[in-house]
Amino acid sequence: MTSDIRGRGLVAVTAASEPQAALDYYLIMSAAGTDGAPAEGVVVEEFALTDDFRTIGLNTAGWTAADGVWWSSAAFGRAMREDPDLRARARAVSRPEAEAAYHGLGGGELPGETRLRARFHDYQPLPDSPPLRLNPPYVPDGFHDTRVYRVLFAGEPHLPRLSDVVTLAGEAGDPRTRVLGAGELRKDSDVFTWQVRRIGPGVACCLDLTAHLGTTSGQALGPLLRRLTTAMRHAGPVPVTVERFS
């Protein structure tokens, strides 16, 4: 953890020394769960983002040992988010884990990310609209802007893995509990706070981030959203979209 970052719920989020892969990697397992079931293939994804980090599209490509060829499918990307059975077989992994699985399944060396992007042929546009500002946003003294984002996920996180994202609420294990935990980060003159919420037990969840920006660039916002989303993926749910509310 760097000396200018202080926060809670940040074990994975502030691992600044660990390089972040630009693409999202998943293994598709032969059966639900992660213990004992072998992998059948690798899926690689990338969201298209606006300048203020809203999602406007999704690219999905995959490779299965049975076929031995790369394919691109917007329908498969939708199914990972809509089909609970398929989602239960999708396990988020790091690029090194994807490389090891790909090699072990007989694929050889996993292509670099530039070459993987060349496998994206079936683009899925996502609904998007600029933030709805009914009133000027409340910006606390000492900051020049306040933004509110929601990252929506399909599925529910595994609570033991969620400690990399938030400090868990005492009643997080109760399915009636809406707010599972909260986290915060202060970097330079920016202050970020977030909560993870259930949206229907087992169906969906979200991460709500409030960013009070004291720096003129707001350059920490994009990487933080990326790290939080990655940590949530590794806790189990699959990201669906990023919306900006203010």
Side-chain angles (χ1 to χ4, degrees):
M1 184 178 296
T2 59
S3 60
D4 62 341
I5 294 178
R6 303 187 304 278
R8 56 193 177 97
L10 289 172
V11 176
V13 174
T14 59
S17 60
E18 180 179 337
Q20 290 285 307
L23 304 180
D24 293 340
Y25 296 87
Y26 297 87
L27 298 184
I28 303 301
M29 316 306 290
S30 59
T34 58
D35 296 329
E40 294 182 338
V42 177
V43 170
V44 183
E45 293 193 324
E46 184 173 45
F47 282 98
L49 304 175
T50 62
D51 290 342
D52 62 348
F53 314 114
R54 305 187 319 272
T55 52
I56 56 174
L58 175 64
N59 282 297
T60 303
W63 178 92
T64 53
D67 298 326
V69 296
W70 283 91
W71 43 263
S72 181
S73 172
F76 190 89
R78 291 193 299 270
M80 281 181 58
R81 290 149 176 87
E82 297 172 358
D83 183 346
D85 293 331
L86 176 57
R87 191 167 62 246
R89 293 170 50 214
R91 178 161 65 95
V93 294
S94 65
R95 179 175 169 90
E97 290 173 305
E99 289 173 333
Y102 185 72
H103 185 271
L105 289 169
E109 183 178 350
L110 184 67
E113 297 202 328
T114 298
R115 291 176 58 198
L116 285 174
R117 284 190 181 91
R119 269 75 174 177
F120 293 148
H121 301 298
D122 193 12
Y123 177 72
Q124 174 64 55
L126 297 176
D128 172 60
S129 60
L132 180 62
R133 295 179 183 264
L134 299 177
N135 296 296
Y138 168 70
V139 180
D141 291 341
F143 301 96
H144 72 87
D145 191 16
T146 292
R147 299 186 189 182
V148 179
Y149 289 86
R150 169 165 288 181
V151 188
L152 179 65
F153 297 85
E156 185 165 326
H158 301 285
L159 294 183
R161 302 181 205 165
L162 202 58
S163 60
D164 282 350
V165 186
V166 293
T167 299
L168 286 172
E171 301 299 323
D174 186 337
R176 297 169 298 180
T177 299
R178 293 291 304 278
V179 178
L180 298 179
E184 63 181 13
L185 171 67
R186 297 174 181 269
K187 179 169 173 56
D188 300 326
S189 56
D190 298 331
V191 177
F192 306 97
T193 60
W194 58 88
Q195 293 181 329
V196 174
R197 299 174 179 269
R198 282 191 178 98
I199 307 176
V203 177
C205 62
C206 66
L207 185 145
D208 290 341
L209 171 69
T210 299
H212 298 302
L213 301 178
T215 57
T216 56
S217 66
Q219 62 182 359
L221 181 53
L224 178 60
L225 275 167
R226 171 68 178 163
R227 288 178 184 236
L228 287 168
T229 301
T230 298
M232 284 288 292
R233 287 196 310 110
H234 284 267
V238 179
V240 175
T241 190
V242 180
E243 302 172 301
R244 181 180 170 188
F245 293 155
S246 69

